[in-house]
C-alpha cells in the first residue's frame, strides 16, 4: 500500500535558518501531538440488517439517522461478512481472524439438543450439525487465547465496554473475560425470547426491567449513560452489538402500527418497525456522543452482521440456509465516520470484509496490526484517507451447514462452491443479483478461483474439499 505525499516544503533562504529550525521544531511538535492523539472508537453492529434494509441503499424502511450517518461517512458498498451467521460474524469482527481459522463455522446453538443446560452453558468444546455434509465440528465459545480488539487496545491506553449480543460463549467466556473492562446487557443466548419484558426466561441480564420497555431502547439507555462519561481520562472503545433485528420479529408497538397503516403485511411491518427502532437507537447514541463533546475525536463504525432473513432484494439470497453466501446473505452495510479525517459522503467500491475492522482500529489507534498475526483482515487506513488501495487477491466466505459452503470474491468475479461439487461463477459488475451463472463460459476462471479456495482452506486448517483429498 502506497500513500501519496501530503505536500511539499517551501524554500527558505539560508539567512533564515534559525527561524526555519524553530518553525520546524514547532511543526514537528504539533505533528507529534496530532499523530499520537488517540481517537475513540464506537462500533455499531446490527444483527440481521441486510444491505438493502437501509434507506441510503434505497431500502423500503425509514432509517433517517443511519442515512445521515452515511452522508457523514465513507460508504463501503461492497462489504462482506466472512461467515454470515451470528457467532462467526462476531468472532471475525472482534479478532480480525476468519471464523474458519478460529474453528467457529456455525452459530453457537445453546439448546439442550446440543448439550447445553437451561442457562446456555456447556463443557463440550465443539458441536456438530446433522445436515452438514462436511461433518465439520464448530466451537462452542471464542477461545480465551484469541486476541480481541479490547485486548489489543488495552496496552495502548484504552478503556473498553461491550454492549448487547455476545453469542460467543457463556460466563467464563463473556466480554469481561476477553479484555473488556465492562459489559452491559450480555446474555448467554443468541437472541431474546421477546423484545418486551421479560426479555429472557433464564439468565436475564435485565432482571428488573421497566414495564413495557423495548429491549433496544433499554440497551440504548446503557450506552447513552456510558458515553456521558467515557473518554474523560483515557480513550474508549465501545462496541454495541444490537440484538435487533434478529428474530423473534417483534417490532416496537408504535412503529408496527405506523407500518400496518401504510399497508405492510404484519410480518413486514414487524421487521420494518425493528429496523426503525434500531435507527432511532443509533440516533440517540450519536446524539449522546455529540453532547459529550467527543464526536470529532471518535471513529464511528456501523455495519450489519449478515443479510436479513427475508426481503433482501434486489440481491439474491439471505440468512436462510442454502443461500447465505450469495450477496443477499453475505453483503452488508458498512459506514466509517471520522470527522476531519475521512471524506464525508465518499463511496468506496473495493471489496472489504469484517475481518478488516480489527486491524483498522489497531492501526488508527497507533498500534501495529502485524503484531497480532495471523490476521485475515487488512487495515483500511489508506482507503479511509483516500490515499491508495489495499492489496488483496481475494476474500473468502465459508460456513458449514448445508451443501453451499464457500465463496470466493476476487474483484468483480465471484465463485460459489457446493460440497456436492457444483461451482457457480458470477460477474458482480454486470450481474449483482447473481441471476446468470457463467461458469461454463469461463472454465479457466472457475479453475483459478477454485485453486485459490483450496489453498486458503489449507492455510486456515479446514479439511480438503471433495475431489481434493
Amino acid at each position: 500500500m502506497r500513500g501519496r505525499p501530503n505536500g511539499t516544503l517551501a524554500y527558505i533562504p539560508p539567512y533564515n535558518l534559525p527561524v526555519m529550525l524553530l518553525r520546524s521544531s514547532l511543526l514537528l511538535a504539533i505533528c507529534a501531538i496530532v499523530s499520537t492523539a488517540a481517537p475513540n472508537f464506537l462500533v455499531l453492529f446490527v444483527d440481521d440488517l441486510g444491505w438493502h434494509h437501509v434507506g441510503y441503499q434505497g431500502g423500503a424502511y425509514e432509517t433517517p439517522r443511519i442515512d445521515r450517518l452515511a452522508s457523514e461517512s465513507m460508504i463501503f458498498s461492497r462489504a462482506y461478512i466472512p461467515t454470515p451467521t451470528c457467532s462467526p460474524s462476531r468472532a471475525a469482527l472482534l479478532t480480525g481472524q476468519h471464523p474458519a481459522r478460529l474453528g467457529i463455522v456455525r452459530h453457537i446453538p445453546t439448546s439442550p439438543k446440543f448439550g447445553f443446560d437451561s442457562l446456555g452453558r456447556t463443557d463440550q468444546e465443539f458441536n456438530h450439525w446433522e445436515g452438514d455434509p462436511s461433518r465439520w465440528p464448530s466451537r462452542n465459545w471464542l477461545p480465551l487465547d484469541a486476541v480481541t480488539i479490547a485486548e489489543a487496545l488495552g496496552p495502548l491506553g484504552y478503556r473498553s465496554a461491550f454492549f448487547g449480543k455476545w453469542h460467543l460463549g457463556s460466563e467464563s467466556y463473556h466480554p469481561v473475560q476477553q479484555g473488556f473492562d465492562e459489559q452491559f446487557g450480555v446474555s448467554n443466548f443468541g437472541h431474546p425470547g421477546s423484545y418486551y419484558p421479560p426479555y429472557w426466561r433464564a439468565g436475564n441480564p435485565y432482571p428488573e426491567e421497566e414495564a413495557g420497555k423495548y429491549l433496544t431502547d433499554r440497551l440504548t439507555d446503557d450506552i447513552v449513560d456510558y458515553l456521558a462519561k467515557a473518554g474523560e481520562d483515557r480513550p474508549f472503545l465501545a462496541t454495541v452489538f444490537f440484538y435487533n433485528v434478529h428474530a423473534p420479529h417483534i417490532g416496537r408497538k408504535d412503529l408496527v402500527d405506523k407500518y400496518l397503516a401504510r399497508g405492510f403485511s404484519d410480518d413486514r411491518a414487524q421487521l420494518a418497525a425493528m429496523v426503525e427502532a434500531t435507527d432511532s437507537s443509533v440516533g440517540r447514541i450519536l446524539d449522546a456522543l455529540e453532547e459529550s463533546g467527543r464526536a470529532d475525536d471518535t471513529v464511528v463504525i456501523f455495519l450489519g452482521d449478515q443479510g436479513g432473513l427475508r426481503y433482501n432484494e434486489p440481491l439474491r439470497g439471505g440468512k436462510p440456509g442454502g443461500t447465505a453466501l450469495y450477496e443477499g446473505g453475505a453483503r452488508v452495510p458498512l459506514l466509517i465516520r471520522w470527522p476531519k479525517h475521512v471524506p464525508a459522503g465518499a463511496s468506496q467500491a473495493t471489496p472489504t470484509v469484517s475481518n478488516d475492522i480489527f486491524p483498522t482500529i489497531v492501526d488508527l489507534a497507533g498500534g501495529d496490526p502485524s503484531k497480532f498475526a495471523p490476521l485475515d483482515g487488512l487495515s483500511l487506513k489508506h482507503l479511509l484517507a483516500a490515499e491508495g488501495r489495499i492489496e488483496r487477491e481475494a476474500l473468502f466466505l465459508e460456513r458449514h451447514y448445508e451443501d453451499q459452503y464457500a465463496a470466493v470474491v476476487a474483484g468483480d468475479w465471484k465463485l460459489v462452491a457446493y460440497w456436492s461439487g457444483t461451482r457457480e461463477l458470477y460477474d458482480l459488475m454486470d450481474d449483482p443479483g447473481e441471476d446468470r451463472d457463467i461458469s461454463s463460459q469461463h472454465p479457466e476462471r472457475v479453475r483459478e478461483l477454485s485453486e485459490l479456495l483450496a489453498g486458503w482452506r489449507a492455510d486456515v486448517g479446514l479439511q480438503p474439499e471433495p475431489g481434493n483429498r
Side-chain angles (χ1 to χ4, degrees):
M1 294 179 285
R2 297 185 295 274
R4 295 194 298 267
N6 293 323
T8 58
L9 293 176
Y11 173 75
I12 299 178
Y15 56 79
N16 279 336
L17 184 59
V19 175
M20 180 184 72
L21 292 175
L22 176 61
R23 290 176 176 171
S24 297
S25 298
L26 289 172
L27 180 60
L28 288 172
I30 292 170
C31 289
I33 292 172
V34 172
S35 64
T36 57
N40 307 302
F41 295 95
L42 173 61
V43 180
L44 305 173
F45 196 41
V46 186
D47 201 331
D48 286 6
L49 184 72
W51 183 86
H52 193 55
H53 288 168
V54 288
Y56 76 87
Q57 301 279 64
Y61 311 128
E62 292 189 16
T63 57
R65 293 310 302 268
I66 295 171
D67 299 345
R68 176 178 163 186
L69 176 63
S71 72
E72 301 166 344
S73 305
M74 180 171 284
I75 301 169
F76 289 82
S77 59
R78 295 187 62 196
Y80 292 89
I81 297 296
T83 299
T85 192
C86 296
S87 303
S89 66
R90 281 150 182 75
L93 189 152
L94 289 167
T95 68
Q97 294 190 1
H98 197 290
R101 190 182 296 279
L102 294 164
I104 305 177
V105 295
R106 291 185 293 274
H107 74 286
I108 297 171
T110 71
S111 73
K113 176 182 177 181
F114 291 91
F116 289 77
D117 67 16
S118 61
L119 293 175
R121 301 166 178 156
T122 184
D123 293 328
Q124 299 176 21
E125 186 174 2
F126 293 93
N127 69 76
H128 291 79
W129 193 262
E130 184 176 339
D132 172 22
S134 73
R135 302 292 187 266
W136 198 248
S138 185
R139 274 203 169 90
N140 286 326
W141 53 74
L142 178 67
L144 293 177
D145 59 359
V147 178
T148 67
I149 299 174
E151 290 170 315
L153 293 193
L156 299 176
Y158 280 78
R159 184 168 184 82
S160 57
F162 184 93
F163 300 84
K165 176 173 173 173
W166 178 245
H167 206 182
L168 287 171
S170 55
E171 291 89 341
S172 298
Y173 305 93
H174 271 188
V176 291
Q177 308 298 332
Q178 302 273 15
F180 288 91
D181 299 295
E182 301 176 81
Q183 66 181 46
F184 302 85
V186 174
S187 163
N188 290 344
F189 301 97
H191 59 83
S194 174
Y195 282 88
Y196 283 99
Y199 308 118
W200 289 267
R201 292 191 178 93
N204 197 334
Y206 293 123
E208 298 179 1
E209 308 95 339
E210 182 180 337
K213 188 89 168 187
Y214 195 63
L215 175 58
T216 303
D217 296 333
R218 177 64 187 87
L219 185 65
T220 305
D221 292 343
D222 286 337
I223 303 160
V224 168
D225 289 344
Y226 178 84
L227 291 176
K229 62 182 184 301
E232 291 179 348
D233 55 345
R234 50 182 169 144
F236 68 83
L237 163 71
T239 57
V240 182
F241 284 22
F242 289 90
Y243 288 99
N244 268 20
V245 294
H246 193 289
H249 286 163
I250 300 173
R252 211 175 72 196
K253 294 176 183 177
D254 60 318
L255 297 174
V256 173
D257 292 341
K258 167 183 167 180
Y259 283 99
L260 287 173
R262 292 185 181 180
F264 280 54
S265 66
D266 180 69
D267 176 71
R268 191 151 193 169
Q270 297 288 346
L271 178 58
M274 294 182 82
V275 171
E276 189 170 344
T278 305
D279 181 79
S280 176
S281 172
V282 169
R284 285 184 59 199
I285 293 167
L286 295 178
D287 287 346
L289 181 63
E290 190 72 37
E291 291 166 8
S292 75
R294 298 181 177 87
D296 285 349
D297 302 320
T298 301
V299 179
V300 177
I301 301 173
F302 174 91
L303 71 162
D305 85 326
Q306 60 186 307
L309 184 62
R310 55 182 69 89
Y311 310 127
N312 297 302
E313 299 82 3
L315 301 182
R316 180 181 180 183
K319 181 178 179 176
T323 69
L325 299 183
Y326 291 129
E327 297 291 284
R331 194 195 289 200
V332 296
L334 172 60
L335 307 171
I336 301 181
R337 185 186 82 176
W338 189 13
K340 302 177 183 177
H341 294 82
V342 175
S347 184
Q348 177 56 252
T350 299
T352 55
V353 66
S354 57
N355 299 332
D356 298 335
I357 301 301
F358 178 103
T360 299
I361 288 178
V362 171
D363 202 0
L364 295 179
D368 180 1
S370 68
K371 291 183 177 179
F372 303 98
L375 288 180
D376 296 294
L378 299 173
S379 173
L380 304 178
K381 181 178 180 179
H382 288 285
L383 289 183
L384 292 172
E387 290 185 340
R389 50 185 291 179
I390 55 176
E391 301 296 336
R392 172 186 278 139
E393 185 174 22
L395 58 85
F396 302 90
L397 316 178
E398 174 104 15
R399 58 183 240 150
H400 287 260
Y401 288 94
E402 59 275 316
D403 195 17
Q404 186 191 78
Y405 74 97
V408 183
V409 177
D412 295 331
W413 296 100
K414 183 176 179 183
L415 177 81
V416 179
Y418 288 76
W419 197 257
S420 56
T422 299
R423 294 288 188 273
E424 298 170 353
L425 183 69
Y426 300 96
D427 181 343
L428 296 178
M429 177 62 71
D430 293 335
D431 180 24
E434 296 168 294
D435 296 319
R436 300 182 299 277
D437 173 15
I438 55 175
S439 58
S440 62
Q441 301 169 39
H442 300 276
E444 73 292 342
R445 185 68 64 183
V446 171
R447 182 170 55 254
E448 173 190 327
L449 296 180
S450 295
E451 289 174 356
L452 285 178
L453 176 60
W456 171 82
R457 285 174 59 83
D459 176 61
V460 298
L462 289 168
Q463 70 187 58
E465 302 167 274
N468 290 300
R469 300 182 181 182

